[in-house]
Amino acid sequence: MPPTPGNKRPLPFVGNKLDIPKEKSWMKFREWNEAYGPILTVWNGSTPTMLIGDPEIAVELMEKRSTKYSSRPRFVVAGDLLTENRTILFASYGERWRAYRKALHLATMPKSVDSYRPIMEMEGKVLAEQLISDPAGWYDHSSFRYTASSVVAAGYGRRILDIHTDSAYQKLTKNIEFLIRVNVPGAQWHETFPALRFLPSFLNPIKKAALYYRYQGRENSAALMDEVRKKMAAGVAPHSYAKQLLENREKYADLDDVEFNGQPGSLFGAGVDTTSATLQSLVLALILNPEVQERVGEELDRVVGSQRSPVWEDEANLPYVQAVIKEILRWRPVAILGGTPHASTEDDVLEWEGKQYFIPKGSIILGNLWSIHMNPKTYEDPEAFRPERFLNNRQYTGTGTKGHSSFGWGRRVCPGAYFAERSLFITASRLMWGFKFGKATDPRTGSVVEVDASMETGYTSGFNCRPKPFICAIVPRSEEIRETVEREARAAVEDLRVFENFYDDD
Ligand code: HEM
């Protein structure tokens, strides 16, 4: 088998668990990959985890040999207790997973995503106006509101006007926050000792919370579906994924009501946190790299001008914008551990650099993006935020046409990648076209407020990682641009009214 870090013998029962930090385990994994090799074995109890730090090995196993490497490991808290494994994310490779993926395809295939583009565009216009009227609130609410509202409007035909007051948003978010907290390798003893799940809830706070969120999530999904049903009956339901599902219920007869109702919710669970974190990292990168802002601003001025904001058709003429978006996905990948790990379903042997490694059936396969994207063999000067590395269609072995591995691998690859890429293009280009981002000045002391992009101190821990809240200065790039932003936002708000037809969820 691949070596353990430092050839350290795993301890009986716990394996290497005590060596894995509870916070930001990906940083330790990267250190190990750099010191001991691109594929390592770490024992979680009696289950081996293959830590992969090289994009080519990730592709070799999870893409080229995808029939053997497309399942999921057992997750005691997030799988058995929280979801009963009845969601796409945790389902083992097989018939149930295929049924979930097929139903999700209705929302994530390019034709469907393209039908949601007007929502992303209009919500992006509203976001831009909020950066003018409330620049201080950009991190706390506007960035989350934008991604949540675009996903929930596409999912359920319902806008989110304010994340602090929208009850659907609140419930969906509390659920996903719990999931993000528990679903980190090494964070829960239940994963090492699955029998802990039988301890009664009053002695088992994490089980108690998981069961609470299981039923809270199901009730909320059912209520949101019901709202769409009622709107359909009244003839006022806008186009949405939930509406498409309900119109085709018989095609998804293999999903029971819990599974069926949960489908649009998986867009929220997988799509909101990831996309908002990527936009937040982008702003951080722009503040710290003024020369990138200058170059991207020149390109946008030339192609778009100030009388209108970027439109979809501009994309082909904006190579530097495209490169910035790729680079942000590489530099600070939100699904930092490669999303949810894969599990192997057959014994296998990997030949790599003259060595043969045995990978037993049932291994956990973890493509640690913090190792893979910072691997100097693939990316020169990997710590630097340098969009130029993606210009002229530069390819990187093991990363396909995207140039990075941020959306995962093989059969489990992120089904929402096209959705996310559309949302990122139209909104990241709007932010860079409309605004100059810089360091804020403390009004009391007059001193500059620094921002921190270091993974160690500036980022959160958790299964998705994002910059910790930061403040910054945001100003429109010109007076003409400010007028355009305000004019376009007024029109967008009117066009979005159709998504404001809420039904009281009590
Ligand atoms: C920047 C945004 C996003 C990033 C970086 C991202 C990344 C990922 C990654 C790394 C995985 C795991 C892939 C693997 O196991 O190999 C994943 C899975 C998934 N993503 Fe995304 N994602 C993003 C946005 C979205 C959006 C917008 C949606 C929905 C519209 C979505 C839906 C899903 C689903 C349902 C899965 C589970 C797939 C399965 O287990 O078969 N994601 N994503």
Side-chain angles (χ1 to χ4, degrees):
M1 288 174 67
T4 54
N7 286 324
K8 197 169 167 187
R9 282 172 76 93
L11 295 172
F13 305 114
V14 293
N16 302 98
K17 185 174 161 69
L18 300 177
D19 297 329
I20 302 176
K22 279 196 168 202
E23 301 281 313
K24 299 190 185 153
S25 50
W26 50 89
M27 295 188 66
K28 179 57 80 186
F29 297 161
R30 177 179 165 195
E31 268 174 39
W32 285 342
N33 280 135
E34 284 173 355
Y36 306 115
I39 177 161
L40 300 170
T41 309
V42 170
W43 291 88
N44 181 20
S46 56
T47 309
T49 298
M50 301 296 138
L51 280 186
I52 298 175
D54 182 306
E56 288 185 67
I57 300 183
V59 165
E60 177 62 37
L61 299 182
M62 291 187 277
E63 293 200 345
K64 296 194 182 150
R65 307 183 192 185
S66 62
T67 46
K68 297 180 188 173
Y69 288 95
S70 294
S71 204
R72 292 287 191 218
R74 180 178 185 187
F75 291 98
V76 177
V77 180
D80 298 0
L81 295 174
L82 177 65
T83 59
E84 294 182 299
N85 297 304
R86 290 162 78 192
T87 63
I88 183 169
L89 197 59
F90 297 113
S92 304
Y93 184 58
E95 179 236 327
R96 299 312 305 144
W97 170 77
R98 254 180 231 106
Y100 303 146
R101 194 116 179 163
K102 178 180 145 203
L104 198 63
H105 190 61
L106 192 59
T108 55
M109 63 182 160
K111 194 170 141 222
S112 299
V113 174
D114 289 346
S115 72
Y116 307 135
R117 281 190 193 195
I119 295 175
M120 300 172 187
E121 192 170 350
M122 291 185 290
E123 288 291 11
K125 289 178 179 171
V126 173
L127 168 66
E129 193 285 326
Q130 288 173 334
L131 297 197
I132 295 176
S133 58
D134 179 20
W138 121 265
Y139 181 105
D140 269 349
H141 42 263
S142 314
S143 60
F144 293 104
R145 196 211 64 82
Y146 162 72
T147 49
S149 198
S150 358
V151 167
V152 176
Y156 294 103
R158 171 189 167 124
R159 272 193 89 194
I160 291 176
L161 296 170
D162 182 337
I163 59 167
H164 302 299
T165 55
D166 188 287
S167 63
Y169 175 87
Q170 289 290 330
K171 288 178 198 161
L172 287 161
T173 299
K174 293 222 163 67
N175 210 291
I176 190 72
E177 278 173 0
F178 177 75
L179 173 67
I180 288 169
R181 184 159 64 80
V182 296
N183 202 25
V184 180
Q188 304 300 329
W189 280 104
H190 288 63
E191 310 304 335
T192 316
F193 300 112
L196 285 174
R197 76 191 186 286
F198 295 120
L199 263 185
S201 289
F202 68 93
L203 294 174
N204 202 345
I206 204 83
K207 173 176 174 179
K208 189 171 170 191
L211 296 182
Y212 167 80
Y213 282 115
R214 182 199 291 177
Y215 294 107
Q216 180 259 29
R218 285 179 188 173
E219 273 169 29
N220 193 35
S221 301
L224 286 165
M225 269 300 195
D226 263 356
E227 183 182 74
V228 179
R229 258 190 215 100
K230 284 186 206 157
K231 285 188 195 167
M232 285 167 72
V236 294
H239 169 65
S240 73
Y241 173 43
K243 184 178 176 205
Q244 287 173 284
L245 279 174
L246 288 166
E247 284 166 350
N248 293 286
R249 179 67 179 100
E250 72 292 348
K251 281 194 196 155
Y252 305 102
D254 49 352
L255 301 185
D256 67 21
D257 282 347
V258 165
E259 294 167 326
F260 182 81
N261 291 341
Q263 287 299 312
S266 58
L267 295 191
F268 188 94
V272 173
D273 209 55
T274 43
T275 315
S276 59
T278 307
L279 290 172
Q280 291 165 350
S281 285
L282 171 68
V283 168
L284 206 50
L286 293 172
I287 295 170
L288 292 168
N289 296 278
E291 72 292 349
V292 171
Q293 282 204 69
E294 204 163 303
R295 183 160 177 191
V296 82
E298 275 163 21
E299 184 178 81
L300 285 156
D301 285 343
R302 188 163 31 81
V303 176
V304 179
S306 45
Q307 297 300 320
R308 63 169 180 89
S309 60
V311 292
W312 304 101
E313 293 71 27
D314 292 323
E315 191 173 13
N317 301 320
L318 295 170
Y320 196 68
V321 167
Q322 292 181 44
V324 170
I325 295 172
K326 283 186 175 190
E327 177 67 343
I328 199 65
L329 286 163
R330 181 203 69 85
W331 185 67
R332 288 294 179 267
V334 47
I336 189 92
L337 290 164
T340 303
H342 293 212
S344 68
T345 44
E346 286 175 44
D347 286 347
D348 196 17
V349 173
L350 171 73
E351 287 191 29
W352 197 255
E353 291 174 347
K355 293 191 182 131
Q356 285 200 330
Y357 296 121
F358 174 60
I359 301 177
K361 171 181 171 177
S363 298
I364 298 175
I365 314 298
L366 198 147
N368 179 31
L369 291 182
W370 192 238
S371 302
I372 290 174
H373 283 179
M374 292 292 153
N375 189 333
K377 193 187 110 189
T378 313
Y379 301 104
E380 193 185 310
D381 195 6
E383 301 281 352
F385 181 78
R386 192 187 292 160
E388 289 73 12
R389 69 174 91 243
F390 288 111
L391 288 178
N392 305 319
N393 282 329
R394 173 86 195 270
Q395 306 284 308
Y396 293 93
T397 317
T399 65
T401 50
K402 293 194 188 300
H404 57 77
S405 312
S406 264
F407 292 112
W409 302 270
R411 296 180 193 202
R412 292 309 279 237
V413 75
C414 174
Y418 182 67
F419 191 113
E421 285 174 335
R422 294 302 77 219
S423 180
L424 285 174
F425 165 69
I426 202 66
T427 301
S429 64
R430 185 180 311 285
L431 297 185
M432 295 187 281
W433 160 83
F435 301 93
K436 181 167 174 3
F437 298 92
K439 293 182 188 169
T441 307
D442 186 328
R444 286 162 309 164
T445 60
S447 56
V448 171
V449 182
E450 293 299 330
V451 292
D452 183 2
S454 118
M455 180 53 75
E456 194 172 357
T457 49
Y459 271 70
T460 61
S461 192
F463 157 74
N464 285 340
C465 89
R466 63 169 65 249
K468 289 182 183 164
F470 60 92
I471 55 167
C472 60
I474 306 175
V475 283
R477 290 182 53 245
S478 71
E479 200 44 41
E480 272 181 322
I481 285 182
R482 172 201 291 274
E483 283 162 20
T484 304
V485 167
E486 290 173 342
R487 185 182 71 244
E488 290 188 345
R490 280 194 295 275
V493 166
E494 288 313 312
D495 291 340
L496 284 164
R497 292 254 185 256
V498 58
F499 297 102
E500 285 175 30
N501 196 358
F502 304 132
Y503 278 45
D504 191 346
D505 52 2
D506 294 318

